[in-house]
Amino acid sequence: EIVLTQSPGTLSLSPGERATLSCRASQSVSSSYLAWYQQKPGQAPRLLIYGASSRATGIPDRFSGSGSGTDFTLTISRLEPEDFAVYYCQQYSSSLTFGGGTKVEIK
Amino acid sequence: EVQLLESGGVLVQPGGSLRLSCAASGFTFSSYAMSWVRQAPGKGLEWVSTISTSGGSTYSADSVKGRFPISRDNSKNTLYLQMNSLRAEDTAVYYCARDALGYYYFDYWGQGTLVTVSS
């Protein structure tokens, strides 16, 4: 099973700042089969990024994904108030697993 | 508009059974693989099970294998999760999710239904 480790656990930032979230896999994720989701309290997750770097429909371009192999990054270029949430990575290269999440909170 | 509406979540005793349903609309249900993903209170996401478009192939996490068969009725645009031999650790919000075409990530999610396993 591919284990995904997300860091940091919590990121405290102010609106307008840049957020960099990490997702590290215990073994290589082939074909960059990695997705990112955003989840706000009491809501279902929402797909942000698939294929490591492709934005889902309707996702603002301040969200970007990068990486390959075992190291992946989600970057939010300038945080908007609605971006404060929990973010999860998910690999779909070998079965399906999620990372433990990174909470982006207002500083 | 794609809509996924889960139902069936209740309070059930350990060892009991329950069936969750997910009614789909706004897309050609029979063209998409479908999945269940759960989230224990205050915890992260855990993939539970996936079913192919025809229902001929199913995949499950080890934690539920043999206890939670997944099925679908394409004539009713509905996904099911039969939950047997329930344990306290199965307590979670269960989300129905649509798999992206040809891939196993999830492009649409329902709002979830809460299953509580407790005596």
Side-chain angles (χ1 to χ4, degrees):
Chain A
E1 173 182 296
I2 297 178
V3 176
L4 299 179
T5 301
Q6 292 189 241
S7 62
T10 301
L11 199 51
S12 298
L13 295 168
S14 300
E17 289 193 294
R18 182 185 187 89
T20 303
L21 288 66
S22 173
C23 176
R24 179 160 290 177
S26 60
Q27 53 189 283
S28 183
V29 176
S30 61
S31 304
S32 296
Y33 284 168
L34 188 110
W36 290 92
Y37 302 88
Q38 176 193 67
Q39 187 179 34
K40 298 178 182 179
Q43 296 186 16
R46 177 175 71 144
L47 175 67
L48 297 176
I49 301 286
Y50 61 93
S53 61
S54 297
R55 270 189 301 277
T57 303
I59 301 304
D61 60 7
R62 64 180 181 272
F63 290 92
S64 63
S66 63
S68 63
T70 60
D71 289 296
F72 298 87
T73 300
L74 175 70
T75 301
I76 311 171
S77 58
R78 287 177 55 86
L79 283 163
E80 297 287 340
E82 62 267 29
D83 298 338
F84 291 91
V86 179
Y87 293 83
Y88 294 95
C89 57
Q90 178 229 334
Q91 67 81 22
Y92 47 102
S93 165
S94 173
S95 189
L96 296 90
T97 52
F98 288 92
T102 291
K103 181 179 182 179
V104 179
E105 65 176 22
I106 299 176
K107 187 174 181 179
Chain B
E1 180 192 5
V2 172
Q3 291 194 4
L4 300 170
L5 184 61
E6 303 94 336
S7 61
V10 291
L11 170 63
V12 61
Q13 291 190 338
S17 295
L18 186 61
R19 189 177 80 160
L20 304 183
S21 299
C22 171
S25 61
F27 65 102
T28 304
F29 181 70
S30 59
S31 295
Y32 289 83
M34 298 292 296
S35 295
W36 291 97
V37 176
R38 69 183 180 183
Q39 186 170 35
K43 302 297 184 183
L45 301 169
E46 179 188 15
W47 168 71
V48 173
S49 193
T50 296
I51 187 167
S52 64
T53 53
S54 67
S57 297
T58 62
Y59 315 91
S60 296
D62 289 343
S63 57
V64 305
K65 200 167 289 184
R67 297 191 299 129
F68 289 7
I70 187 174
S71 62
R72 65 190 296 162
D73 186 337
N74 286 344
S75 68
K76 295 182 178 179
N77 291 347
T78 302
L79 174 71
Y80 302 101
L81 186 69
Q82 178 66 41
M83 306 173 71
N84 302 318
S85 303
L86 282 159
R87 308 166 180 166
E89 55 265 36
D90 296 319
T91 294
V93 173
Y94 284 75
Y95 294 103
C96 163
R98 190 181 84 168
D99 290 46
L101 276 173
Y103 297 95
Y104 295 111
Y105 63 88
F106 311 114
D107 58 1
Y108 287 93
W109 298 65
Q111 282 305 300
T113 187
L114 176 62
V115 173
T116 303
V117 183
S118 175
S119 55

